[in-house]
Amino acid sequence: MPQSRSSPAEDPRADRSAPDRSADRPAAVAQAILAGFDRHFGLTRYIAQQAKARYERGDWHGIRRLARDRIAFYDQRVHEAVERLESEFALGQRGQRMADDWLWPRVKRNYVALLADHRQPELAETFFNSVCCNILHRSYFHNGFIFVRPGVSTEYLDADRPSWRVYYPLTVGWRPALRQMIIDFGLACPFVDIERDLSLVQAAAREHFPPGFVYAADCQLQVLRTLFFRNKGAYLIGRFVNDGELLPFAVPILRDSQGRLYLDTVLFGSERIEALFNFARAYFMVDMDVPSAYVRFLKTLMPTKPESELYTMLGFHKQGKTLFYRDLLQHLKYSHDHFIVAPGIKGLVMLVFTLPSFPYVFKLIKDKRGKEISREFIQSQYQLVKFHDRAGRMADTWEYSGVPFPKDRVDPGLLAELKEFAPSQIEEEGDSIVIRHLYIERRMVPLNIYLEQADDADREHAIIEYGDAIKQMVAANMFPGDMLWKNFGMTRQGRVVFYDYDEVAYITDCNFRRIPPPRTPEDEMSAEPWYSVGPHDVFPEEFGTFLLGNPRVRELFMKHHADLLDAGYWQERQRRIREGVLDDVFPYPETLRFRNRLPAQPSAQAA
């Protein structure tokens, strides 16, 4: 008769260090990770709901705090999930490789099953990847246990209440359809004069459509169910459908000083909508149950904008990173050009390279830097900009660690620069060059190069844009620090954007001074200043010395932006910021605003 087998607790020969391979363990781990994601998404929606309430109260500083706090939510929730897995399941301990090989594929299968009826499966998969990478200390693109490709389709996913509403103006009339469209957003504020605003919308639409425009049987207005909040604006986003053709449109809704609402303009066309979702602007706050449905809708309005940027602009920057990396891998598969050093004057701090066929640049911090600043300080500067309102004038970045690049696609000149200036940041691993830490952002034409090649009209446009960029950064309490042309870029939409962050500072932390007059003729001839200079002192009069050597550029600059050379301008901006004034920065031309059609309009409080 066979002997009965004792339990491990009773058997002194039992291996107590053997991994727990019970059938319910992978399911429990999967449920714990999904619970962490659900908490994250619930808090994200709560932030968007709070944004609506604060908009209705005119709490602009509160909206900015919400936007800033939300950016940190993701990493906080990942950290919480990792701590739970480490404490409850003893995951992440050293010497667990065999246990990992058995456990994680099963966790992933259980997780996919949990996502079958989930409303945000693509975001939940990215959260799974983040948690897994933190537990295993591996880069997600090397890890066979995670979602390298989507595991659950979102193609036809939507909420019980569809993500967008439909209005039929030929059935009920244009004015009633437009009025109901506004009413359905449920804003708890009165309007200054909604009938006047609706008349202005109709007039703008008539001007946009050609004479004799024919409305087809399928004529309809399709509008996303919730508003898009950012800074001092709420945006209605929709599309006009007629005979199968789509016309994107957006309506900014602003609030006057008395708490009353008004429609500021109507924006038609993909180009205008893309400007709202520009990579240099702060992220929107939108209360949505199914983000993928919103992204699908937005993609019809902006066909050329990648989904990675749309998710990022909706506040899901980790999802944007995931999709961007998948796009990069796909592009590498179907291209054969080489990564090269980016054109332009080489920076003292960052080494920048690009792939000519791919519209992004890759930036890493040099080991050998031309400035006495630490790597940690530079990273903190990029983090400062990430959390700040970029006012449409500072490029957003995606931050990555451990990114492999095919060695045979790296130009020898670039590889030599990497080895010379950033040897600690690269590692050769088989057929790949792995970069330990880098930033990725949209590629632009450096402004110094653009000015060299521009004709007279383009040069004047660039100078106007340059000054406007600085003034809009100032409105967001941001001083560029290094204002040289090479630190700004021209986008394909013709906007100037700043992208060099190692010297940025808050306007309120600077001490803007006028240069005191020389005491003697010797002072005036001296190579050294005859006055004391503190660590935060800035002398705007000196900007011209570095910027305006070209007479044609100087003439244009003095015509449009001479005030930037006056310390009084900067001191006045400081005063307003310290008093809590948030100056208006509009993501559309001033000429499009309805107030230009009227003899008088409420004081602007903009997006």
Side-chain angles (χ1 to χ4, degrees), residues 398-580:
W398 286 311
E399 186 176 4
Y400 287 85
S401 299
V403 182
F405 293 86
K407 191 183 299 184
D408 62 355
R409 300 288 295 276
V410 178
D411 180 78
L414 170 58
L415 184 57
E417 291 217 3
L418 289 170
K419 290 181 176 179
E420 179 180 358
F421 293 105
S424 75
Q425 292 301 297
I426 64 171
E427 179 180 350
E428 297 192 40
E429 188 176 281
D431 295 332
S432 298
I433 300 292
V434 179
I435 297 182
R436 292 192 171 93
H437 179 264
L438 55 74
Y439 299 97
I440 301 174
E441 65 188 35
R442 269 280 183 173
R443 187 169 62 219
M444 294 169 270
V445 179
L447 190 55
N448 60 306
I449 294 178
Y450 184 89
L451 289 172
E452 291 172 1
Q453 302 170 348
D455 60 23
D456 290 343
D458 288 342
R459 185 181 300 110
E460 181 165 18
H461 170 76
I463 297 300
I464 293 171
E465 272 289 304
Y466 169 81
D468 288 347
I470 292 173
K471 290 174 179 178
Q472 289 172 10
M473 289 174 64
V474 170
N477 192 22
M478 189 61 69
F479 177 57
D482 191 342
M483 294 171 56
L484 293 177
W485 309 110
K486 70 181 181 69
N487 298 323
F488 293 77
M490 180 67 76
T491 71
R492 61 187 177 87
Q493 293 88 7
R495 288 177 57 81
V496 169
V497 172
F498 182 63
Y499 52 64
D500 189 332
Y501 301 148
D502 54 275
E503 292 190 23
V504 295
Y506 293 122
I507 292 289
T508 48
D509 288 344
C510 299
N511 182 30
F512 294 98
R513 295 174 54 191
R514 291 184 173 87
I515 298 176
R519 298 162 298 184
T520 64
E522 289 76 14
D523 280 350
E524 193 167 10
M525 300 297 293
S526 173
E528 299 296 326
W530 57 89
Y531 46 89
S532 62
V533 179
H536 302 293
D537 286 351
V538 179
F539 299 91
E541 296 163 74
E542 295 181 335
F543 296 163
T545 304
F546 305 103
L547 297 173
L548 307 179
N550 184 321
R552 290 180 298 178
V553 170
R554 168 178 275 279
E555 180 183 356
L556 293 170
F557 185 92
M558 298 305 293
K559 175 183 176 182
H560 297 288
H561 296 299
D563 49 354
L564 291 177
L565 304 182
D566 179 12
Y569 167 83
W570 298 87
Q571 292 164 356
E572 173 62 16
R573 298 300 101 184
Q574 275 186 323
R575 182 190 64 78
R576 292 175 60 82
I577 293 168
R578 287 170 176 157
E579 290 177 355

